[in-house]
Amino acid sequence: MIFKIASNIIIFIILLFGICNISIAQDKNEKIQSISLGLSIYDEIDKKSIIEVKEKMLKNIIGYYKLNANIIILDNYRQLIDNIDNQAEVFVKKLIKNNKLDYLIYIRNRRNLDLWFDVWNKRGQIENIIIPYSSELVKFLPDIATNSFLSIIESMDNKLYNNKQY
Amino acid sequence: MKNLFILFIITCLSLTSCTYNPINTKIVKGSFYDNIDKKTFLSRASHSFNLKENDFIVAATIFKVPQIVQCKIPLSGVDRILYIKIMENQLLNIDRHLIFGQEYLFDENEQELKILIDLPVIYLFKGTIKFHIDILALNSKGKYLKTIKKTIAFNWQPLENNSSNGFSYTKLSNSNIKEKRAIKKIVKEEIQNCDTDRLNKEYKKEIEVFIKQRQNRIRRNDYY
């Protein structure tokens, strides 16, 4: 009787490890199917621009890469305006986790001196492109933002170019 | 009961070890433009050609496809490229942003923009394709914008190797090259990696007819 129970337990454990290993293998080999972005802005950015950025980002990702994409527009987070510190990192990680995001993308206009295009990933890494501000830039903002965000996302995780579609 | 408890502990430990995934908490604050691998970027192109700064339209002859071509465009007085868009509105209906570091680089010292253009066979199925390039650049003083427009046409002129040492070539027409088995294989692979909904309907149909063409009509010669 004891022998039978022991053998059943061993079989169960073997099966359990097998299932775990299969799920790990699937994770490693899984192709990237979708990309989830949270888009936010600093107050001084025109609200219409953010809609345009969203549309252009979606068009560029879904249309030209083997990826699905969804973008949610988030609130304006003042915690992210001034300093990139540990507090900001904790805040961003929580934000990314709660909204099930892959990236938080953020446009900041710093007192009309420069424009910051920030990208945070799930690992709490941040990369940005900073451009000197000029009034001329405003009408090109959606395209500049789209190009900056796509380029940063690619440089961080190589998710786009490897999934390119003709 | 004791066995069940042991089993429960083992199960918990197994699941914990399988799902534990530590998060890297380090903030990386790097200079974006310095982190690009220029060598890998440059090595991807198999052919390159130079444009003059004032050229608005240029045409280049391509002998082998598929390939990635590097276009070098001198841009004086430019500090930074803010975006580059590539467009084609006749056959492919492409209108997208190029990615910095993968598809373009700007060398500030040489004042030269390098763009990589991917040319699969399905882009040159009619022999010629014309891309419009829109560039927005920031000038050296960092306050003024410069819009630059270029049109680059690629003309595919296939060559056939007619000797064993590989030095004798014969020009082929685009229709002749389509008789080659190797081309059909490449087109089949490329079309699977293409968003065909975007293609011009007639152009798409032409490619589909070519793919469905009976094998015995295709000769066994190699192409160059």
Side-chain angles (χ1 to χ4, degrees):
Chain A
M1 184 66 182
I2 293 166
F3 177 75
K4 199 177 177 182
I5 291 169
S7 65
N8 283 340
I9 288 169
I10 290 165
I11 290 165
F12 181 77
I13 291 167
I14 291 167
L15 285 172
L16 192 66
F17 272 105
I19 290 164
C20 288
N21 285 332
I22 288 166
S23 68
I24 289 168
Q26 278 174 343
D27 283 347
K28 280 177 184 171
N29 297 325
E30 196 177 59
K31 272 198 163 187
I32 302 153
Q33 295 297 322
S34 67
I35 186 166
S36 180
L37 304 164
L39 173 60
S40 188
I41 53 162
Y42 176 56
D43 283 341
E44 291 178 26
I45 303 289
D46 177 13
K47 295 281 188 296
K48 281 181 189 170
S49 295
I50 198 165
I51 305 292
E52 266 190 79
V53 173
K54 180 183 172 178
E55 285 168 1
K56 281 178 186 283
M57 288 286 289
L58 284 174
K59 184 187 147 200
N60 270 271
I61 296 173
I62 297 170
Y64 300 96
Y65 302 96
K66 285 179 276 182
L67 293 168
N68 289 323
N70 71 294
I71 300 177
I72 54 169
I73 295 174
L74 299 167
D75 294 334
N76 170 29
Y77 295 105
R78 290 195 165 274
Q79 292 93 323
L80 299 173
I81 293 167
D82 293 322
N83 297 315
I84 297 167
D85 53 17
N86 288 337
Q87 209 179 338
E89 185 196 351
V90 171
F91 176 78
V92 168
K93 277 186 176 173
K94 201 175 166 186
L95 198 66
I96 286 176
K97 193 180 173 186
N98 291 346
N99 290 287
K100 295 178 181 169
L101 303 175
D102 292 305
Y103 300 94
L104 171 69
I105 55 181
Y106 200 90
I107 307 172
R108 293 186 279 170
N109 174 359
R110 288 170 64 102
R111 300 172 194 92
N112 284 357
L113 290 173
D114 42 41
L115 281 168
W116 290 48
F117 301 96
D118 295 344
V119 177
W120 293 80
N121 67 10
K122 282 198 273 194
R123 300 188 300 277
Q125 293 174 318
I126 181 171
E127 190 60 85
N128 50 35
I129 288 178
I130 305 160
I131 296 167
Y133 180 86
S134 79
S135 54
E136 276 185 289
L137 276 175
V138 176
K139 71 173 177 181
F140 298 108
L141 184 67
D143 275 317
I144 297 170
T146 302
N147 198 282
S148 302
F149 289 141
L150 292 176
S151 297
I152 296 174
I153 288 168
E154 176 62 16
S155 81
M156 280 178 144
D157 297 321
N158 295 112
K159 274 192 175 179
L160 299 173
Y161 192 75
N162 292 337
N163 287 289
K164 198 174 145 193
Q165 273 189 315
Y166 294 128
Chain B
M1 190 65 191
K2 196 179 175 184
N3 285 338
L4 280 173
F5 179 70
I6 293 166
L7 180 64
F8 175 71
I9 296 292
I10 291 168
T11 308
C12 289
L13 286 172
S14 310
L15 289 172
T16 310
S17 68
C18 290
T19 55
Y20 179 66
N21 183 21
I23 297 166
N24 177 11
T25 55
K26 192 185 171 191
I27 295 179
V28 177
K29 245 182 106 179
S31 171
F32 175 71
Y33 293 100
D34 295 338
N35 293 337
I36 300 300
D37 184 357
K38 289 181 184 174
K39 276 187 181 174
T40 307
F41 173 87
L42 295 173
S43 68
R44 287 215 308 275
S46 50
H47 180 71
S48 71
F49 69 94
N50 298 297
L51 278 76
K52 289 177 186 167
E53 186 158 6
N54 297 324
D55 283 349
F56 178 65
I57 301 174
V58 285
T61 301
I62 300 299
F63 297 108
K64 187 177 179 177
V65 287
Q67 70 163 312
I68 295 174
V69 175
Q70 186 190 157
C71 309
K72 297 177 184 175
I73 308 171
L75 296 175
S76 55
V78 166
D79 180 50
R80 185 100 62 87
I81 301 296
L82 300 182
Y83 69 73
I84 300 180
K85 286 199 281 187
I86 187 165
M87 289 154 287
E88 199 286 334
N89 52 16
Q90 299 293 314
L91 305 173
L92 311 171
N93 291 314
I94 286 175
D95 181 0
R96 71 178 183 92
H97 279 267
L98 296 183
I99 294 179
F100 173 81
Q102 290 286 11
E103 295 175 298
Y104 74 91
L105 278 182
F106 179 66
D107 190 322
E108 209 180 322
N109 297 325
E110 291 179 23
Q111 290 279 287
E112 188 176 72
L113 172 67
K114 295 170 172 63
I115 298 176
L116 296 185
I117 298 180
D118 207 340
L119 292 174
V121 181
I122 52 169
Y123 281 12
L124 285 149
F125 209 69
K126 278 195 180 293
T128 303
I129 193 79
K130 198 163 65 179
F131 292 107
H132 303 286
I133 310 278
D134 270 10
I135 303 161
L136 184 71
L138 203 62
N139 81 340
S140 302
K141 291 172 187 172
K143 281 285 178 186
Y144 302 99
L145 298 174
K146 192 175 180 180
T147 50
I148 302 150
K149 290 182 188 291
K150 303 276 180 194
T151 298
I152 305 171
F154 293 98
N155 180 38
W156 180 27
Q157 177 56 71
L159 295 178
E160 186 171 43
N161 184 356
N162 278 334
S163 71
S164 56
N165 59 21
F167 290 102
S168 172
Y169 294 95
T170 305
K171 282 187 179 180
L172 292 175
S173 71
N174 184 255
S175 56
N176 284 344
I177 200 76
K178 287 177 188 169
E179 295 296 308
K180 309 294 180 188
R181 187 182 291 267
I183 281 288
K184 185 170 180 176
K185 193 184 169 194
I186 293 168
V187 171
K188 266 186 178 176
E189 286 169 5
E190 286 176 352
I191 208 76
Q192 284 173 358
N193 198 24
C194 174
D195 180 4
T196 52
D197 293 340
R198 211 174 50 231
L199 300 180
N200 171 292
K201 279 181 186 173
E202 285 175 16
Y203 188 64
K204 182 183 167 184
K205 198 174 178 184
E206 200 178 319
I207 295 172
E208 283 171 350
V209 167
F210 169 69
I211 288 172
K212 285 172 188 167
Q213 200 179 322
R214 285 168 58 190
Q215 286 289 329
N216 58 11
R217 289 188 60 197
I218 298 175
R219 290 179 292 170
R220 285 178 174 274
N221 296 346
D222 289 326
Y223 74 96
Y224 287 85

